Amino acid sequence: MDKNTFGKLVLDNEVQLYRIAKAILKRDEDCADAAQEAITRAFEKLHTLKQDAYAKTWLIRILIRECYRILEQRSKEAAFQENQSVQVSESEDYGSLYQALAALEPEFRITLVLYYLEGFQIQEISAMLEIPEGTVKSRLHRGRKKLKKLLSEEERQ
Amino acid sequence: MNKKRWEQEYPKMPSAFHLAVQEAVERQGNREKQGSAAEQKCAAEQESIVKPGNRKHGKRSRRFYLFAAAAVLLFGGITAIAGVAGKKVIFREELELENYENLEEAFQSDISVKVEEDVRLPKQAYTDKEYREWLTSWEKRENNLPLLDIREVMFDGMRLSVYAVPTQEGKKYSLEVLEMYINGVYKAPVDCFDNAGEQDYYIFTLDDVNGFTAEDDKNLQNLQMQTQDAILQTPFEVTLCVRAYASGKRYENQDLTFTVSTDAQLKPLADQEFVFSDYTVKVTELQRSMTSLKGKVSVEMTEEQKEAYEKGERKLCGLLFTNKDGTAWKRGLSVSEEEARQSHYNAGNLQWYFHKQIPEDAGDTVMLYLMAYEKTAEGEKFDFFDMGNCFGEGMEVKLKED
């Protein structure tokens, strides 16, 4: 795939990139940093992409890795401020679903978002997250259950 | 899960993100124009910024040993014994092996478990450094009491599944096992199954289709299927790397090690060949255990045949196994249900490795079909269990030696 075509693919999928980054990272600034780093890396490694058909999956995989790297940095920073790494700032006006989602572990958040919001299949998610398909199913099941519980608790309040 | 609600409530992309993406893409375009020397320098700078630093791996800590007998002491009495028997039934049901005969020698319930803290995963850090690096900042668990009670193991010469229930300590966490080590050296991915998220029990199945890796000092090496079979010769040692999560945090791993010593054997079967006017199919590396069949299917063509195939509309993309009455073999290695509808892909080299559970009503042969999609359907979903997608004639593969 040439760089122009890949650039177009990135721009065409920017909403999806944001939503995936947002499943792992809390702050929009971090999402943008992760996307920029991922795009830079993807362009640098574009020659290693064997089949054009997998370009999007490949880019998302790089983005997810980048998000985890930033999450690691933020977790260290947040060690001084308890729980900050997993809670959504109160000042931000997010819907109840995202608030509940943010209370889950990142492994569950990203799996749920890839499946329910972005509509990827188990097989594709397995490739993106580099985990077996059975684990994707298990995480979906457990994540859905946790999310449902959190949402019903919130509705009761 | 309501897709509409997801769309409505999930945060919308802010304009700053759009600008960041646009800038990153444009920057690449400019680099192209500026030439390779500047590009390399910049890439090197980027690399130095984002490269994770060297980290010291987690320290080894105390070890202690648990024995299965201790579990009986902990739970005690007739009720506990009845409970364990009930769980055995569940294990067989989840593996869909409850109707198989003469499988007892494949099950093992006298299991001694060695508990270690945080030993394996630091080694894995270099399997994919960028991705795994963040995993090193775990919270410390309060103690190193075992998180899982390994109740039973099934190994029939090919298929390895572990049945475990969370201990009182384990119930404090959401547990997960994504990899296991064989004899402390060979790493294999694990299919992790729990009962509907209740954490009442877990079944971990070795996912050898995705391949073992072996560690040397610095690298990981992928192993061939034949090598994997040689490694899985009883007795062998299994280490489950148990991950623990709670309240949005990741906690230190726990390694649980035990020995598998069932009497099950793997039986190799002779290669088989099916010659058709348009192609030849070779079934090789065939092996069967009491419950499973695995091997390799290759489609070979002469230059003329290949030319005709490439001009045709239908492209091969996978395999279907059925009993002679047409009942599909749907179950693979995993406990989780197989997805019948998948995005198809073009298997360019026309070779497939397979690993299927042999249904209890299977005969001495299995029908093998090649599956193909229409060129125009590429990118759409494909039903691997739809006989309408078969390509050419079925082939009767022998499961027993003459």
Side-chain angles (χ1 to χ4, degrees), chain B residues 15-35:
Chain B
S15 56
F17 186 88
H18 164 71
L19 293 173
V21 169
Q22 201 171 32
E23 187 194 315
V25 172
E26 281 171 4
R27 202 188 307 145
Q28 293 303 320
N30 292 337
R31 275 190 193 175
E32 282 279 274
K33 288 171 198 162
Q34 285 165 9

Side-chain angles (χ1 to χ4, degrees), chain B residues 19-241:
Chain B
L19 293 173
V21 169
Q22 201 171 32
E23 187 194 315
V25 172
E26 281 171 4
R27 202 188 307 145
Q28 293 303 320
N30 292 337
R31 275 190 193 175
E32 282 279 274
K33 288 171 198 162
Q34 285 165 9
S36 60
E39 181 180 347
Q40 279 169 12
K41 186 169 179 282
C42 190
E45 282 167 3
Q46 290 279 355
E47 192 71 19
S48 68
I49 293 166
V50 295
K51 209 170 204 169
N54 292 330
R55 288 166 195 277
K56 286 188 178 174
H57 288 152
K59 58 208 169 290
R60 290 190 180 215
S61 81
R62 64 206 151 98
R63 300 177 175 189
F64 57 93
Y65 297 83
L66 276 188
F67 293 93
V72 175
L73 283 176
L74 274 173
F75 291 94
I78 293 166
T79 315
I81 292 166
V84 170
K87 298 292 185 188
K88 282 187 175 184
V89 173
I90 292 168
F91 188 30
R92 283 156 180 71
E93 279 177 4
E94 295 289 11
L95 296 176
E96 289 187 10
L97 296 176
E98 70 271 32
N99 298 323
Y100 285 67
E101 290 175 0
N102 306 319
L103 263 188
E104 279 314 305
E105 62 191 87
F107 285 88
Q108 177 190 342
S109 51
D110 56 329
I111 302 159
S112 304
V113 179
K114 185 172 74 178
V115 183
E116 291 177 292
E117 187 182 330
D118 192 11
V119 177
R120 301 283 168 203
L121 216 87
K123 283 186 185 176
Q124 295 165 19
Y126 55 74
T127 60
D128 188 337
K129 204 165 183 177
E130 296 160 64
Y131 178 52
R132 309 258 181 216
E133 193 74 5
W134 77 280
L135 298 179
T136 54
S137 65
W138 306 319
E139 299 281 322
K140 198 160 177 62
R141 278 182 281 107
E142 284 175 12
N143 56 56
N144 200 27
L145 290 171
L147 299 173
L148 287 170
D149 179 12
I150 310 291
R151 294 283 177 87
E152 201 174 17
V153 172
M154 197 289 289
F155 179 66
D156 70 346
M158 185 185 305
R159 193 170 162 194
L160 173 64
S161 286
V162 179
Y163 181 84
V165 294
T167 59
Q168 285 302 108
E169 187 64 21
K171 283 178 182 169
K172 295 177 184 170
Y173 304 92
S174 232
L175 303 176
E176 190 173 58
V177 174
L178 297 190
E179 55 272 300
M180 63 169 73
Y181 277 79
I182 308 295
N183 295 332
V185 180
Y186 305 102
K187 194 180 88 162
V190 169
D191 183 81
C192 176
F193 172 84
D194 66 73
N195 61 324
E198 295 294 341
Q199 299 185 29
D200 192 16
Y201 58 86
Y202 294 86
I203 295 173
F204 308 114
T205 299
L206 181 145
D207 185 4
D208 71 345
V209 174
N210 285 328
F212 281 32
T213 48
E215 291 180 358
D216 58 22
D217 287 342
K218 287 180 182 169
N219 301 306
L220 283 167
Q221 172 200 353
N222 289 315
L223 300 183
Q224 299 295 316
M225 280 179 114
Q226 298 93 322
T227 318
Q228 296 172 20
D229 296 334
I231 294 162
L232 294 175
Q233 297 289 322
T234 55
F236 57 85
E237 193 185 70
V238 171
T239 302
L240 296 179
C241 306

Side-chain angles (χ1 to χ4, degrees), chain A residues 103-114:
Chain A
L104 300 181
E105 294 86 354
E107 287 82 358
F108 295 104
R109 292 206 298 265
I110 183 65
T111 316
L112 288 169
V113 166
L114 288 172

Side-chain angles (χ1 to χ4, degrees), chain A residues 6-150:
Chain A
F6 186 70
K8 188 172 181 311
L9 180 138
V10 172
L11 293 169
D12 287 347
N13 289 284
E14 60 178 4
V15 173
Q16 194 165 41
L17 297 180
Y18 170 74
R19 300 203 299 193
I20 290 168
K22 192 72 177 168
I24 301 171
L25 299 167
K26 182 186 73 172
R27 294 162 53 188
D28 282 345
E29 301 92 305
D30 288 342
C31 295
D33 284 350
Q36 285 203 324
E37 287 295 345
I39 292 163
T40 305
R41 278 174 169 253
F43 271 107
E44 284 167 8
K45 306 274 182 194
L46 194 56
H47 62 281
T48 65
L49 178 65
K50 286 174 187 151
Q51 290 189 52
D52 292 359
Y54 297 126
K56 189 168 135 185
T57 310
W58 179 72
L59 173 64
I60 291 172
R61 193 159 59 212
I62 296 172
L63 174 70
I64 290 170
R65 287 176 186 174
E66 201 53 46
C67 290
Y68 279 130
R69 192 185 64 76
I70 292 176
L71 184 69
E72 160 75 1
Q73 284 178 351
R74 296 289 172 266
S75 301
K76 282 176 192 162
E77 291 161 15
F80 301 101
Q81 301 165 45
E82 201 179 351
N83 290 337
Q84 191 173 329
S85 64
V86 292
Q87 287 177 0
V88 177
S89 165
E90 285 172 11
S91 63
E92 291 178 271
D93 185 22
Y94 291 126
S96 57
L97 187 136
Y98 186 73
Q99 295 276 7
L101 194 68
L104 300 181
E105 294 86 354
E107 287 82 358
F108 295 104
R109 292 206 298 265
I110 183 65
T111 316
L112 288 169
V113 166
L114 288 172
Y115 190 81
Y116 289 108
L117 185 63
E118 302 306 337
F120 288 111
Q121 292 184 49
I122 304 279
Q123 200 182 21
E124 292 166 318
I125 298 170
S126 161
M128 285 172 195
L129 299 180
E130 299 165 283
I131 55 175
E133 288 179 30
T135 308
V136 176
K137 290 175 195 170
S138 168
R139 283 185 182 175
L140 280 176
H141 195 99
R142 287 150 67 192
R144 190 170 53 220
K145 201 171 165 103
K146 286 179 177 199
L147 192 60
K148 201 173 167 186
K149 193 178 165 199
L150 287 165

